[in-house]
């Protein structure tokens, strides 16, 4: 919308579903809409991540997968790290959406609401089961893994100095030395 006039600038539908309820659950209801370089905006659903032109709403690219829950992270100026809810990570080109690599946590480790945090050349992500995994950004190799505890985990970690800190559903904060 135009902030001065209230006139609609553009609209984009993220789903072709027809009923209101199905449109809702297949829409971007839990997404963090993110600005990307090159005049793009990223919006995600349970079926796709879409890069749209900010000025026109035109789709520039789409990546299949349920990327609605975990926020994406820019890595450098030209790549975007996406995690889907089933623990599939991929590093994609911001301009085209083409995957540079893909990696998979095991399927028991869903990623819901917890986005990755990037430290140097490693992305750290915590799954709902409390598994902390380090993903090498150069090639997608999943390296160090550590179980943080038995409680569900939905929080995005933060890094303070050389400590990665994450909270779980049981109210426990855990700090891990990187």
């Amino acid at each position: 919308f135009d902030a001065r006039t209230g006139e609609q600038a553009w609209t984009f539908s993220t789903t072709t579903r027809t009923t209101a309820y199905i449109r809702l659950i297949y829409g971007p209801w839990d997404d963090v809409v993110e600005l990307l370089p090159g005049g793009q905006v990223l919006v995600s659903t349970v079926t796709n991540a879409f890069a749209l032109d900010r000025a026109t709403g035109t789709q520039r690219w789409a990546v299949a997968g349920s990327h609605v829950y975990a926020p994406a992270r820019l890595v450098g100026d030209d790549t975007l790290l996406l995690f889907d809810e089933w623990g599939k990570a991929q590093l994609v080109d911001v301009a085209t959406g083409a995957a540079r690599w893909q990696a998979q946590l095991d399927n028991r480790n869903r990623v819901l609401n917890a986005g990755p945090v990037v430290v140097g050349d490693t992305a750290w992500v915590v799954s709902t089961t409390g598994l902390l995994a380090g993903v090498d950004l150069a090639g997608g190799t999943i390296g160090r893994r550590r179980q943080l505890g038995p409680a569900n985990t939905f929080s995005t970690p933060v890094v303070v100095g050389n400590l990665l800190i994450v909270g779980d559903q049981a109210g426990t904060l855990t700090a891990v030395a990187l």
Side-chain angles (χ1 to χ4, degrees), residues 89 91 120 135 153:
L91 191 68
V135 182
T153 305

Side-chain angles (χ1 to χ4, degrees), residues 1-7:
F1 289 93
D2 184 302
R4 294 175 308 235
T5 67
E7 184 178 330

